[in-house]
């Protein structure tokens, strides 16, 4: 509508199931077998490429200057990667929003044969990203807040603070492992690593000794273990990283970031800018407009990070023991989840 050109870019097109992701072009094989005319599809560009210019008609409607270049941009997570500087091998980010994402950059194409994680073209030309998704990340904590934290919500409103800040303080009062309590965050089924729409959330180990703060911390730890599942698949595919950026609402919690650092066993940092994906597409526009020679150099110039939270040596083996137990729970309950789904 801005340019009069029909265009897309590789990261967004990767999600259409019509793209030959390794070769970064529409798949002739898929189009032929589905009977889709290639003329119906826009031209595929790299994310920082200019795809057209503002037309006179669009300029009159928007106030933008005619002739302004329009750059490809990127899908949400691909843009977040640029906005956090995850544009080289060895870098990754975790987003704890409604769902949770573990996203790693890779210069070498790597595809999981079991389909547990997505391999897409990323916003850096000639590179890819591998992404695992857990469905009920921040959603799990919001569910707990809305159903069991009315007092925190009231107190937070009177103090003018976020309820999650008070919930963090509560969770900190429970020890690692939540007095032998585990939470499975499958409120919406699961994508990575189980690909199971029937699995459901569960508290495992619940006893009369447990308090609400134990359940609260167990929710945060369970989400962290679910994200660790994603990390393990990426590592098994040969996608390695030396540090992790934390994003999303959950990433603003120092307690949750420490859980990630201790469980992933790597430093976790945040970016000083809060814009994330919006900053990412602005950087891509800058590269497309010729302000920077490459996405990597633009990120080096524009992105600053806060000091990392390193793993606490004494915490690592404690989380590891609970994570290994967590890994056994889904296989043990898989058939029961299926039977539950069949009940009226």
């Amino acid at each position: 509508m801005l340019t009069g050109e029909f265009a897309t870019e590789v990261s967004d097109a990767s999600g259409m199931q019509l793209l030959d992701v390794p070769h970064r072009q529409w798949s002739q094989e898929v189009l032929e077998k589905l009977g889709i005319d290639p003329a119906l599809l826009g031209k595929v560009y790299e994310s920082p490429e200019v795809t057209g210019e503002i037309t006179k008609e669009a300029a009159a409607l928007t106030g933008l200057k005619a002739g302004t270049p329009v750059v490809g941009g990127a899908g949400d997570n691909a843009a977040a990667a640029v906005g956090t500087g995850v544009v080289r091998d060895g870098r990754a980010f975790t987003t704890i929003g409604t769902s949770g994402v573990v996203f790693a950059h890779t210069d070498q194409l790597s595809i999981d044969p079991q389909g547990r994680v997505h391999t897409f073209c990323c916003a850096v030309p000639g590179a890819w990203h591998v992404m695992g998704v857990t469905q009920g990340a921040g959603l799990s904590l919001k569910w707990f807040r809305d159903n069991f934290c009315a007092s925190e919500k009231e107190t937070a409103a009177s103090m003018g603070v976020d309820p999650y800040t008070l919930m963090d303080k509560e969770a900190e009062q429970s020890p690692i492992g939540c007095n032998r309590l585990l939470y499975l965050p499958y409120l919406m089924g699961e994508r990575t690593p189980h690909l199971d729409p029937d699995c459901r959330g569960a508290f495992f180990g619940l006893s009369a000794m447990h308090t609400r703060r134990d359940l609260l911390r167990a929710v945060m730890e369970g989400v962290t273990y679910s994200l660790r599942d994603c990390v393990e698949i990426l590592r098994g595919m040969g996608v390695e990283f030396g540090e992790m950026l934390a994003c999303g609402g959950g990433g603003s919690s120092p307690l949750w970031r420490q859980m990630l650092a201790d469980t992933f066993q790597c430093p976790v940092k945040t970016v000083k800018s809060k814009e994330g994906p919006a900053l990412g597409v602005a950087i891509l526009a800058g590269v497309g407009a010729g302000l920077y020679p490459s996405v990597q150099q633009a990120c080096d110039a524009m992105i600053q990070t806060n000091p990392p939270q390193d793993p606490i040596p004494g915490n690592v083996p404690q989380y590891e023991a609970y994570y290994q137990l967590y890994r056994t729970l889904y296989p043990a309950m898989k058939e029961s989840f299926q039977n539950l789904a069949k009940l009226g």
Side-chain angles (χ1 to χ4, degrees):
M1 298 302 290
L2 290 173
T3 67
E5 303 287 344
F6 290 98
T8 186
E9 55 74 45
V10 289
S11 72
D12 222 17
S14 294
M16 291 180 63
Q17 301 191 56
L18 299 176
L19 194 76
D20 179 345
V21 172
H23 297 100
R24 310 171 85 84
Q25 62 188 18
W26 298 123
S27 169
Q28 293 304 312
E29 179 185 8
V30 173
L31 295 179
E32 288 172 7
K33 290 187 175 181
L34 295 179
I36 296 173
D37 182 355
L40 295 173
L41 302 173
K43 183 179 177 181
V44 181
Y45 290 84
E46 290 292 339
S47 304
E49 280 191 291
V50 174
T51 63
E53 296 181 344
I54 301 290
T55 63
K56 291 181 180 179
E57 294 78 12
L61 290 169
T62 63
L64 298 170
K65 184 179 179 181
T68 300
V70 176
V71 172
D76 53 359
N77 283 298
V82 178
T84 54
V86 178
V87 293
R88 291 185 173 91
D89 276 359
R91 296 187 181 181
F93 73 79
T94 295
T95 298
I96 304 178
T98 301
S99 59
V101 171
V102 177
F103 177 117
H105 177 98
T106 177
D107 289 335
Q108 301 297 319
L109 181 69
S110 182
I111 297 174
D112 177 38
Q114 298 179 50
R116 296 167 297 175
V117 296
H118 310 291
T119 298
F120 280 13
C121 301
C122 75
V124 177
W128 293 265
H129 67 253
V130 184
M131 181 174 69
V133 181
T134 180
Q135 299 282 75
L139 173 67
S140 287
L141 195 61
K142 182 180 184 298
W143 166 80
F144 193 88
R145 181 200 68 181
D146 292 347
N147 287 284
F148 307 111
C149 295
S151 60
E152 282 83 357
K153 292 170 74 173
E154 291 175 8
T155 302
S158 67
M159 295 173 62
V161 300
D162 192 320
Y164 290 117
T165 302
L166 301 184
M167 291 163 63
D168 266 16
K169 300 299 182 185
E170 283 279 307
E172 282 178 333
Q173 296 177 51
S174 179
I176 293 172
C178 320
N179 293 307
R180 298 190 301 281
L181 179 65
L182 286 164
Y183 168 73
L184 304 182
Y186 308 140
L187 299 186
M188 304 294 289
E190 192 53 292
R191 284 167 70 178
T192 304
H194 304 306
L195 286 173
D196 187 348
D198 294 329
C199 62
R200 289 295 178 264
F203 284 100
F204 175 77
L206 193 64
S207 75
M209 70 177 287
H210 289 115
T211 64
R212 186 176 57 164
R213 66 183 52 148
D214 293 323
L215 273 70
L216 174 56
R217 184 178 183 114
V219 168
M220 298 175 75
E221 290 188 359
V223 170
T224 303
Y225 299 144
S226 181
L227 294 168
R228 167 75 182 272
D229 277 345
C230 299
V231 166
E232 289 304 309
I233 292 174
L234 300 193
R235 287 171 171 163
M237 294 168 63
V239 179
E240 294 289 344
F241 44 86
E243 63 180 24
M244 182 71 69
L245 277 296
C247 318
S252 65
S253 162
L255 175 61
W256 222 336
R257 292 199 303 270
Q258 192 61 56
M259 288 182 185
L260 295 174
D262 294 339
T263 306
F264 294 176
Q265 300 176 32
C266 72
V268 173
K269 299 194 295 188
T270 56
V271 175
K272 290 186 177 181
S273 166
K274 300 298 183 185
E275 283 76 15
L279 175 61
V281 291
I283 289 172
L284 293 172
V287 176
L291 301 178
Y292 300 95
S294 70
V295 177
Q296 292 93 332
Q297 287 170 285
C299 288
D300 291 344
M302 296 180 66
I303 293 173
Q304 296 179 313
T305 59
N306 294 307
Q309 287 179 238
D310 294 317
I312 297 173
N315 291 352
V316 170
Q318 297 183 67
Y319 280 114
E320 185 66 17
Y322 278 99
Y323 172 64
Q324 293 303 328
L325 177 57
Y326 169 92
R327 292 184 64 191
T328 69
L329 298 180
Y330 171 81
M333 300 172 70
K334 180 178 180 179
E335 184 175 349
S336 296
F337 286 137
Q338 293 173 347
N339 292 334
L340 179 63
K342 295 173 184 176
L343 297 178

